[in-house]
Amino acid sequence: MAGGIRRAVIVHAGWFMLGIALLVPILDPLLPLEWKIAGHMNRIFIFAILGLGLNVVTGYTGLLNLGIAAFMAIGAYSYAILTCDIYPFRLGFWSAMPITICIGAIAGVVLGLPTIRLRGDYLAIVTLGFGEIVQDTLKNLDNITQGTQGINPLPAPTFWGHALNTQDKVAWYYLLLAFLALVVLVSRNLEHSRVGRSWIAIREDEIAATCMGVNPVKAKLVAFAMGAALASTSGGIYAALFSNSGEPGNYDFQISIIALCIVIIGGMGNISGVLLGAFVIGGFNSIVLDKLTTLLQQMGMVNTQNVLTVPGNWKYMIFGFALILAMRFKPEGLLPSRQLKAELHEAEEDERAENARGAA
Amino acid sequence: MTSLLSVDNVTIRFGGLTAVNEVDLNVERGQIFSVIGPNGAGKTTVFNVITGVYEPSCGCVRIDGRPGARPLSWRTAIGFGFIALTTAAGFAVALNIRELWDTAITANYVYQQAFPWAKSFSDALTHLRDQPWTWNILPLLTGALVGLGGSVAVWRRARCTPDVIACGGVARTFQNPRLFHQMTVLENVLVGMDTKLRSRFWHAALRLPFFYREYKHAQAKAMELLEFVELDDDASAPAASLSYGHQRRLEIARALASEPKLLLLDEPAAGMNPSESDDLLLLIRKIRDRGIAVMLIEHHMDLVMEVSDRIAVLDYGNKIAEGTPDEIQADPKVRKAYLGTDEL
């Protein structure tokens, strides 16, 4: 009975959050200038999609991937090359996006095939290297990718004949929200299906899973392709939103680490956890730091000569500190999946029981 | 008629250690077959060979008269060819990508004019053809070789893995329960059913009607199996929360979910109290009555002698005896292995 009520609350919490998210652009103009957030939400949505992509690989399947930003870069550049009018393809948003997603998935399989037998640290090193290779390739293939300039400007996506310019903040907000909702829906559908179960089974115990007839090669490749496809989606949307592919340096190791922080701090293998993580970390990154800088500037406390007084410079230190605190006090993340929480606290309880027995 | 499982002359060496030495075993349909022996006799190793976790150093394992390995089909061979061609093309293009892009795309594209795709394609081919052989023939050959070699190597390694054997109708449990602790009891059984499910990625991602139909069916079947092992009340509990005895029963339900012809149970009664092991005995008989042959490793002799149709005894990797429970009990070699020689 109590479980039923709790479940209902959780289900409705999702709808409640969606309601708030839908109302943000309507309420935002009413807020005073210092409190406006709608403009920052776009970035958070993109990071949430990226985090959900990494969640498939690292959260469900348990493969540590430190190169997820490379797939975002592949998505952004594919989208840019397909749409920009300095190239012959000149596709629209709606035809370029599916191709971008497919290219991402293929890139995921290409990385996955030779690394399929690696796990843990070794896989982390390979994916880390892959991230660097993609960046360097994009930088040096300057006759195709325009080197460090990035590809711009990209044409605005059209939506039933209406062009979505960068200024159409509200329309972009809803478009990104729709994409995020779609990604959440697909992730959730997969989690509770044969595919998702085989991913989680491989994370839990690969030998047992194989002995039950789960093909580990296939399951891992599908996970890699799915994660890369989602990261590529986020890259494509990012390029479309800013009308710019960004330069290769935009997709460096730090993006991968932020995505990993989102997944770990939010709660590995749990969609709402990843969304919360994206909101907390993305919100801190683009809203809190931004507002803090403005506030300090107004108070005259920012001295451009002294790097210590610029809040943005403290960003990675605060991230690192948050990660340490999270690992110490909430290793399962802010919103863990129910089972993971049971698992991590079971060991503690055993220990406590052992101590109690020892005392008695 | 061939036996359900035949282990022919199997030997496994780990470095210099021979864990199993020229063992022959035959399990018939509907039989309960026990493997006993002192600790370290190689019983679990035999199980690992049957399920494909280890590859035998020599000898072979047949199920229904067929080796467990996946045969080379035409589809696989065409797949090899396709992969080889793709990697060959990929290598050649990747090596020449800068010049190819310039000659095929940049040179042909007039800003915002229609693009001549056919001309661009033929330009690209001409450019590739005019290169010295180190820039077209060599990468093509290397690519084909890498693609073919890589795919054949991966296929060879994957043709006899546990998942292939499991699809062939062999399921097992482990000496220490290896459940998926973070999944619920029901989900554990559903993972075991994986080989029987036909829904694909798209069915699940888009929730097509087929997915629902299959899911309902699978769930009903999983619940039926949980009832069979008397765990249906715990269906939605996390597997880690079960007691040890229940975890063992869940492992059996998970193994049964793949509808095996042969079920391997590795010390199912370890850590059980006498009443639990009586329940287990009934459960094993019930499984046999479903038409599934059971192969059992066990140290509880009362259980083994009561339930088995046939027993094989291993000692130091050699099979020293095989027969009915009565024959085994009377066998002097078995007594010697368990109790040591009489020193009067």
Side-chain angles (χ1 to χ4, degrees), chain A residues 140 142 203-205 339, chain B residues 98 109 111-112 178 182 205:
Chain A
N140 290 313
D142 50 4
R203 178 190 72 197
E204 298 284 285
D205 191 328
Q339 298 98 326
Chain B
R98 290 181 79 97
Y109 181 55
Y111 187 61
Q112 290 201 337
R178 300 184 78 149
Q182 292 174 29

Side-chain angles (χ1 to χ4, degrees), chain A residues 73-84:
Chain A
I74 287 171
Y77 272 87
S78 307
Y79 177 81
I81 289 176
L82 287 171
T83 54
C84 188

Side-chain angles (χ1 to χ4, degrees), chain A residues 105-350:
Chain A
I106 292 169
V109 173
V110 167
L111 173 64
L113 271 176
T115 58
I116 208 72
R117 285 165 71 85
L118 300 179
R119 354 190 37 197
D121 319 356
Y122 304 99
L123 185 70
I125 292 167
V126 172
T127 48
L128 179 69
F130 181 75
E132 299 301 311
I133 289 171
V134 167
Q135 254 189 80
D136 280 349
T137 312
L138 290 174
K139 221 175 278 175
N140 290 313
L141 220 56
D142 50 4
N143 65 336
I144 303 177
T145 61
Q146 315 298 320
T148 49
Q149 292 171 23
I151 302 166
N152 56 61
L154 305 180
T158 51
F159 204 58
W160 284 305
H162 174 75
L164 237 63
N165 292 312
T166 320
Q167 288 79 28
D168 287 337
K169 288 267 161 58
V170 178
W172 267 111
Y173 180 90
Y174 283 121
L175 182 66
L176 290 175
L177 187 64
F179 261 97
L180 179 60
L182 198 69
V183 170
V184 168
L185 198 69
V186 169
S187 292
R188 192 208 57 149
N189 285 353
L190 284 175
E191 186 184 344
H192 299 287
S193 77
R194 182 185 170 204
V195 184
R197 278 196 302 270
S198 62
W199 289 340
I200 298 173
I202 283 178
R203 178 190 72 197
E204 298 284 285
D205 191 328
E206 194 172 334
I207 289 191
T210 358
C211 284
M212 293 302 118
V214 174
N215 185 341
V217 174
K218 210 161 147 192
K220 283 183 186 175
L221 277 185
V222 171
F224 255 111
M226 174 81 190
L230 291 184
S232 176
T233 312
S234 76
I237 297 175
Y238 179 84
L241 173 64
F242 293 102
S243 171
N244 187 342
S245 71
E247 59 128 350
N250 284 11
Y251 307 98
D252 60 359
F253 184 53
Q254 276 159 0
I255 298 290
S256 300
I257 289 299
I258 289 179
L260 198 65
C261 281
I262 286 174
V263 173
I264 291 175
I265 292 183
M268 270 215 247
N270 183 17
I271 295 169
S272 5
V274 174
L275 292 181
L276 182 69
F279 191 78
V280 169
I281 291 189
F284 176 76
N285 198 2
S286 49
I287 300 178
V288 176
L289 277 180
D290 202 63
K291 302 285 177 204
L292 200 65
T293 314
T294 342
L295 197 71
L296 288 178
Q297 262 164 356
Q298 279 167 1
M299 293 164 68
M301 284 169 71
V302 174
N303 177 1
T304 40
Q305 298 298 309
N306 185 349
V307 287
L308 292 179
T309 58
V310 182
N313 292 338
W314 291 82
K315 189 163 78 175
Y316 291 110
M317 191 169 151
I318 295 172
F319 276 175
F321 200 61
L323 206 55
I324 292 171
L325 286 181
M327 288 300 98
R328 173 61 188 86
F329 294 105
K330 247 182 154 346
E332 69 275 10
L334 295 173
L335 269 185
S337 59
R338 172 175 42 88
Q339 298 98 326
L340 183 63
K341 191 173 172 182
E343 172 89 349
L344 283 166
H345 284 287
E346 189 188 29
E348 244 171 64
E349 267 158 35
D350 282 353

